Amino acid sequence: MIVGRQAERSRLNRLVADAKDGRSRALVLHGEAGIGKTALLDYAAGIAGGMRVIRAAGIESEAEIPFAALQLMFAGDADRVDALPAPQAKALGSAFGWSTEPGDRIMVGAATLTLLAELAGDQPLLCLLDDVQWFDRSSIDALLFALRRLRSDPIATVLAVRDGDRPFSAPGIEPVTLSRLDRGDSARLLTAVRPLPDDVADRVLAESGGNPLAIVEFASTTSGRRPLPPAVAPLSAAGRLDEHYRQQIRQLPERTRIALLLAAADHGSEPRSLLAAGRRMDVVATDLEPAEQAGLVRVGPDAVAFRHPLIRAAAYQEASFAKRLEAHRALAEVLGEPRDADRRAWHLAAAAGGTDESAAVELERAAQRATTRGAPSAAAHALERAAQLGADHSANGRRLVAAARAAYDAGRLDHAVELATSGIALTSEPGDVAEAGWIQAQVAYERHSPAEAAARALDAAEPVLALDPRRAVSVLTEATWCARDAADEHLLRRCAELLGAVRGGPSTVIDAVTGFTVLLRGDVEHAVAPLRALLRAGAGDADETLDRLTAGFAGLLIGEDSLALTVLDEHVAVLRAQGALGWLSYALEPLALAQLLTGRFRDAEAHAEEARAAAADLGQGMEVVVLTAISAWLAAVRGDAARATVLAASVLADTRRHAMAAGQATWALALVDLMDGDPEGALEQLGAVCSGPVGWDLSIRAVADLVEAAVRAGDPARGRQQLSRLAEWARHTGSPTGAALVLRCDALLGAEDEAEKAFEAALGIDGCSPYDRARTQLVYGEWLRRHRRRTVARTVLEAAQATFGQIGAMGWQRRVRTELGALGGSAPDRDVDVTGIGVLTPQELQVVRRAALGLTNREIAVQLFLSPRTVSHHLYKAYPKLGVSKRNELADLDF
């Protein structure tokens, strides 16, 4: 029965109506116990005509069982799992314990998304999930992953969460907080439940405080007397309800109270298990009858169900501590089936009154099973509890460090640091100390700064330089990346020194990472060979994702853009096929950079935006900063100065000081200035970009922009100072793009009678990116116009204009338009996108390109972690933008 709640019912009406119309929506109902969350779920079920309804409720005793809630949700649809894409079916099978193959928590989220979409393909779907605060963390993560990606599917989801029991956060899902009923609605509810004398009704209303369940319970149990004795101190409505239920339980026979304790200690257990445990505590089935007659529980063939979770809590808390331990011990003794191993482990832990090494070992085994199933959050909790129960300090330290790693993998970064710090205090084993330090470094990267992360990683590597060379190299590789991101020469030097001290590690990796540190300190000559060797290895038979990504990025650093692009593009395709979303944002970053450097700006933008969304969803905050800087640069080139400025400002405002991202963001601002006719502003910005370690990274190519800005600002000497850096890089790398950029700079800085020769030489180099070629054509055309070579100037400028339009660099078309206008005759009066695809959003472009290759909506959905209906929606939006009406027409378009 619902009285009032008009606003909440209206929201549910809209949610259900939207789902029936093919628009996915979700709500989270928050509120205290008894506030009416379940009643609103019942209301939603009542208006769901024509929809399939899935209902599930969290069970406190299963809150630590990996994927228990998800398995409960899909209990009736197990036969649909095998029809999912193979990686998703495998992950969900592992999550549900159907196989022993390693699982993946993110892939389970993708499988949840696809399965929900498949079920909604039969008929609109309404998911009503109660007591979600008791859902296991792994199930919550999978559900939220799916709900945030549902867009155009007929799916409505309502999650009800009791406040105060366990923290629950659902970013991206609309929250609704239920307040208590006002006096009028409270009185109407009381009248509907049971008319009472005015004085008794006043007492019920006063003590219930507007909590609907309290009103119903107090009204139902009073017989003309006050429903509760005067409170010694003020209690919340939930507190009064708890005392109300405890009073009812105290009136039951002792053996009935023990039977209720067993049912409360393992809510949801089969009656067979409860009866077996009961025999160990001298309890039989008939002892539950008084509780049934009092309306506190319902005993069925499959479970003993409490009428309300507060009754269950009262039955458990009313028992003595010793009785609770005895109940858990009895339950652990009867749960002998393999499928009950996790519940048994947790009952053993709950039965431990102090140190219990055997319980700790069982929890470690539960953690191993959770890890295999792709549930690191559950593994972390089990290992942490094992460390509290274990008898050996060193073993407990190892457990805490392992818990820290699992917490980190689950995205619980701050807790990972706490666990790692506690672990170090208990163990001096070098491997555990190194692992704990590595975890602290990884969290420091996200929470503090790359510089702090590098320093911590270096400290973590030192204890295992000789004992575990492979681990040392792994940690030092990460330290080097962090030192690179910090642009810290001291840290880079220390990375090189420790790498040089490693004996027995992988030599190719050691040489390459050492070469990386050497390059960023300005020694191009000695950096090229090891980085080139790493690139070749990555293009060959390298299997590890990190090796492939590092190899691809190394190729960009030495100007081997085409091979680097191939390595990165191929490996991103592999990761998509594997469904490895956790790696995808990190892989898409260097791929977007490779596409940026080779003039594939629309691809770069699509991948940067995809990666940014994935990184934000997975809590990879620093990666979001890096990708935002890439997006800022691309926005500048596209001619969207406002967006470029906003994005760059957000990067520069980040207090974690990612120097490389800041460098790219500053480069973006310099491009805006250069396009807008402010070379002095551009020159000031580029001075910072082209100096120090930042200037030896990918920003080495910004030297050409600095030279152009210096010449236009009337300060060519400043350009000459920096050109030597670019010339050295081009000479030692042999990069065609580098050589072409140097020649362009020579033309701008050199004698007038040598300029044309240098421009022509730059344009004659094969392998230069179309963007850099068009930039050379632009400045060459300007030079030709100033020297009254009008016909040639127009030809060169029109070629630049066409290329800028083709690749989506419309920001530079403005300058071309100005030059063409000065030459007389017709010139475009607006920026031109000659491909016709510039109006597509990044995600529409990704979808359309895959559809043009012949992929089905389902195949596209798997690759992009969307639902098939969302893919269909993007195609529907894209067709009119492209001027097509059928899918097969996409193959004729030039992407």
Side-chain angles (χ1 to χ4, degrees):
M1 175 190 308
I2 295 182
V3 173
R5 303 290 189 209
Q6 292 300 328
E8 291 84 356
R9 283 190 276 178
S10 294
R11 294 176 92 159
L12 291 173
N13 290 339
R14 290 196 302 272
L15 177 134
V16 169
D18 283 347
K20 291 179 178 180
D21 288 340
R23 295 187 296 275
S24 303
R25 285 189 58 203
L27 292 175
V28 181
L29 302 179
H30 290 274
E32 66 181 0
I35 202 65
K37 301 181 295 296
T38 302
L40 285 171
L41 295 183
D42 292 340
Y43 174 79
I47 61 173
M51 303 180 78
R52 177 185 171 184
V53 179
I54 292 178
R55 291 198 75 155
I59 299 172
E60 184 177 1
S61 58
E62 295 186 354
E64 303 304 335
I65 309 301
F67 298 110
L70 204 63
Q71 195 161 11
L72 182 64
M73 270 188 68
F74 294 133
D77 301 293
D79 59 325
R80 305 287 288 264
V81 172
D82 286 341
L84 297 177
Q88 297 182 7
K90 175 183 173 183
L92 206 54
S94 296
F96 290 168
W98 299 342
S99 77
T100 57
E101 292 195 41
D104 182 297
R105 73 182 183 97
I106 299 173
M107 183 57 76
V108 175
T112 302
L113 167 66
T114 304
L115 185 53
L116 287 171
E118 294 283 342
L119 297 177
D122 300 335
Q123 66 183 119
L125 183 65
L126 174 62
C127 299
L128 301 175
L129 309 177
D130 206 353
D131 282 327
V132 176
Q133 75 277 358
W134 297 126
F135 276 26
D136 61 280
R137 187 69 245 177
S138 304
S139 293
I140 292 171
D141 289 344
L143 279 170
L144 294 181
F145 178 96
L147 294 179
R148 283 194 287 263
R149 283 166 174 76
L150 290 168
R151 293 287 184 274
S152 304
D153 296 83
I155 300 175
T157 307
V158 186
L159 302 91
V161 179
R162 188 199 308 170
D163 291 339
D165 288 310
R166 296 176 89 198
F168 180 84
S169 175
I173 309 298
E174 182 182 355
V176 177
T177 299
L178 302 183
S179 59
R180 296 185 178 186
L181 300 179
D182 61 25
R183 177 81 180 190
D185 284 338
S186 295
R188 280 188 285 276
L189 176 60
L190 177 57
T191 300
V193 173
R194 182 179 184 185
L196 293 172
D198 289 347
D199 61 332
V200 178
D202 287 343
R203 180 65 190 273
V204 168
L205 293 176
E207 293 200 4
S208 64
N211 181 289
L213 179 62
I215 294 170
V216 171
E217 287 292 322
F218 295 167
S220 299
T221 56
T222 186
S223 57
R225 296 173 287 108
R226 291 185 299 185
L228 286 176
V232 175
L235 291 173
S236 66
R240 289 194 171 98
L241 277 170
D242 177 64
E243 180 59 28
H244 171 73
Y245 290 136
R246 285 195 182 206
Q247 285 184 359
Q248 293 185 58
I249 290 168
R250 289 173 193 143
Q251 295 169 8
L252 296 172
E254 180 182 0
R255 288 157 66 97
T256 300
R257 295 200 301 271
I258 294 174
L260 287 179
L261 168 62
L262 284 166
D266 197 352
H267 188 213
S269 281
E270 298 174 351
R272 179 173 55 84
S273 298
L274 289 177
L275 289 174
R279 285 193 290 272
R280 286 163 168 75
M281 298 182 71
D282 298 323
V283 168
V284 296
T286 55
D287 288 321
L288 279 170
E289 289 179 1
E292 280 190 282
Q293 293 166 1
L296 297 175
V297 295
R298 295 187 301 276
V299 180
D302 299 321
V304 176
F306 287 88
R307 179 163 52 85
H308 192 276
L310 287 179
I311 300 175
R312 174 180 173 269
Y316 187 82
Q317 296 299 331
E318 185 62 22
S320 68
F321 177 68
K323 280 293 181 186
R324 294 202 295 267
L325 296 185
E326 186 180 353
H328 285 293
R329 193 174 301 111
L331 286 163
E333 289 172 357
V334 302
L335 292 172
E337 296 291 328
R339 62 187 175 88
D340 295 325
D342 289 343
R343 288 165 60 208
R344 179 175 184 275
W346 283 103
H347 278 303
L348 285 172
T355 299
D356 190 330
E357 183 64 25
S358 62
V361 170
E362 288 298 321
L363 284 174
E364 276 197 279
R365 291 171 180 160
Q368 291 169 358
R369 290 189 292 271
T371 300
T372 299
R373 294 168 69 177
S377 184
H381 193 194
L383 288 163
E384 183 178 6
R385 182 69 177 124
Q388 294 168 354
L389 295 174
D392 181 81
H393 282 304
S394 182
N396 290 338
R398 172 182 53 76
R399 289 163 178 155
L400 286 171
V401 173
R405 173 54 67 195
Y408 179 84
D409 291 342
R412 297 163 59 200
L413 304 190
D414 295 328
H415 192 48
V417 170
E418 294 172 2
L419 291 168
T421 302
S422 299
I424 291 174
L426 294 178
T427 180
S428 58
E429 200 282 319
D432 292 335
V433 173
E435 175 72 358
W438 192 1
I439 294 166
Q440 291 173 326
Q442 290 173 308
V443 176
Y445 184 81
E446 288 289 345
R447 290 287 187 260
H448 303 293
S449 71
E452 181 177 333
R456 286 183 175 274
L458 288 165
D459 290 342
E462 285 197 85
V464 291
L465 288 174
L467 294 174
D468 191 346
R470 287 193 172 274
R471 177 180 291 191
V473 170
S474 295
V475 178
L476 289 171
T477 298
E478 189 147 342
T480 302
W481 279 108
C482 294
R484 174 257 178 189
D485 292 346
D488 190 308
E489 294 187 56
H490 169 70
L491 289 171
L492 287 166
R493 188 173 294 107
R494 191 175 167 208
C495 288
E497 290 170 354
L498 288 185
L499 281 163
V502 175
R503 295 292 179 268
S507 59
T508 302
V509 176
I510 293 174
D511 291 345
V513 177
T514 302
F516 188 57
T517 66
V518 168
L519 174 68
L520 295 179
R521 285 156 47 206
D523 186 355
V524 183
E525 180 180 3
H526 293 97
V528 170
L531 292 177
R532 183 163 288 144
L534 181 63
L535 174 61
R536 297 292 185 268
D541 57 359
D543 293 325
E544 294 295 326
T545 289
L546 186 58
D547 292 344
R548 288 271 187 172
L549 301 185
T550 303
F553 192 80
L556 299 179
L557 289 174
I558 58 175
E560 295 211 23
D561 301 339
S562 295
L563 181 55
L565 176 61
T566 299
V567 170
L568 294 165
D569 199 19
E570 289 178 350
H571 196 64
V572 165
V574 170
L575 293 175
R576 288 194 192 281
Q578 295 173 345
L581 182 60
W583 271 109
L584 197 57
S585 61
Y586 295 112
L588 287 172
E589 175 205 333
L591 177 59
L593 287 169
Q595 290 165 334
L596 179 156
L597 294 173
T598 54
R600 294 164 170 81
F601 294 147
R602 292 190 182 85
D603 287 336
E605 184 175 15
H607 287 136
E609 290 301 317
E610 179 189 1
R612 200 148 65 106
D617 196 33
L618 298 176
Q620 298 164 348
M622 190 64 90
E623 188 65 11
V624 172
V625 174
V626 174
L627 292 159
T628 300
I630 295 173
S631 294
W633 195 98
L634 291 165
V637 171
R638 191 176 65 247
D640 191 344
R643 176 171 167 77
T645 301
V646 169
L647 293 175
S650 72
V651 173
L652 296 172
D654 190 271
T655 58
R656 291 170 292 186
R657 300 181 300 283
H658 192 297
M660 293 298 176
Q664 182 141 36
T666 304
W667 190 2
L669 295 175
L671 290 176
V672 170
D673 287 341
L674 200 53
M675 292 175 196
D676 288 348
D678 181 11
E680 292 83 3
L683 185 59
E684 182 179 350
Q685 304 270 22
L686 289 164
V689 175
C690 298
S691 61
V694 174
W696 288 111
D697 202 79
L698 298 180
S699 298
I700 188 69
R701 308 178 197 222
V703 170
D705 292 324
L706 183 147
V707 168
E708 182 179 339
V711 170
R712 295 175 75 86
D715 189 4
R718 191 165 175 188
R720 291 189 185 94
Q721 290 173 359
Q722 291 291 345
L723 179 56
S724 60
R725 179 184 286 238
L726 176 61
E728 182 182 356
W729 179 78
R731 181 173 68 257
H732 290 300
T733 62
S735 162
T737 293
L741 292 177
V742 170
L743 286 167
R744 183 208 299 170
C745 294
D746 286 341
L748 290 171
L749 292 168
E752 286 289 310
D753 58 354
E754 295 291 331
E756 183 172 6
K757 180 180 177 181
F759 278 131
E760 290 290 350
L763 294 174
I765 291 179
D766 292 330
C768 184
S769 82
Y771 171 70
D772 289 312
R773 180 179 175 82
R775 288 285 306 278
T776 298
Q777 288 172 326
L778 171 56
V779 292
Y780 184 27
E782 291 171 333
W783 184 89
L784 288 167
R785 184 191 64 78
R786 290 196 304 273
H787 287 76
R788 303 178 185 278
R789 306 271 297 280
R790 301 171 66 85
T791 301
V792 181
R794 177 173 289 279
T795 300
V796 172
L797 288 168
E798 286 177 347
Q801 180 83 332
T803 300
F804 286 141
Q806 184 73 34
I807 64 177
M810 281 75 74
W812 293 106
Q813 287 183 321
R814 300 171 194 171
R815 258 177 58 184
V816 178
R817 189 168 60 246
T818 299
E819 290 296 316
L820 289 173
L823 288 170
S826 61
D829 60 359
R830 60 183 177 83
D831 300 336
V832 178
D833 175 7
V834 299
T835 67
I837 64 170
V839 290
L840 298 180
T841 67
Q843 192 150 81
E844 287 169 355
L845 178 60
Q846 296 239 52
V847 168
V848 164
R849 281 194 165 146
R850 285 166 173 77
L853 292 173
L855 273 67
T856 66
N857 286 3
R858 196 168 191 258
E859 291 168 334
I860 297 170
V862 171
Q863 288 196 8
L864 299 181
F865 299 94
L866 303 171
S867 75
R869 284 177 181 263
T870 299
V871 170
S872 178
H873 175 74
H874 285 308
L875 287 172
Y876 173 79
K877 292 288 189 180
Y879 284 172
K881 296 179 182 180
L882 295 171
V884 302
S885 58
K886 298 178 181 177
R887 192 185 193 100
N888 58 12
E889 295 176 59
L890 294 174
D892 298 326
L893 299 180
D894 181 11
F895 293 108

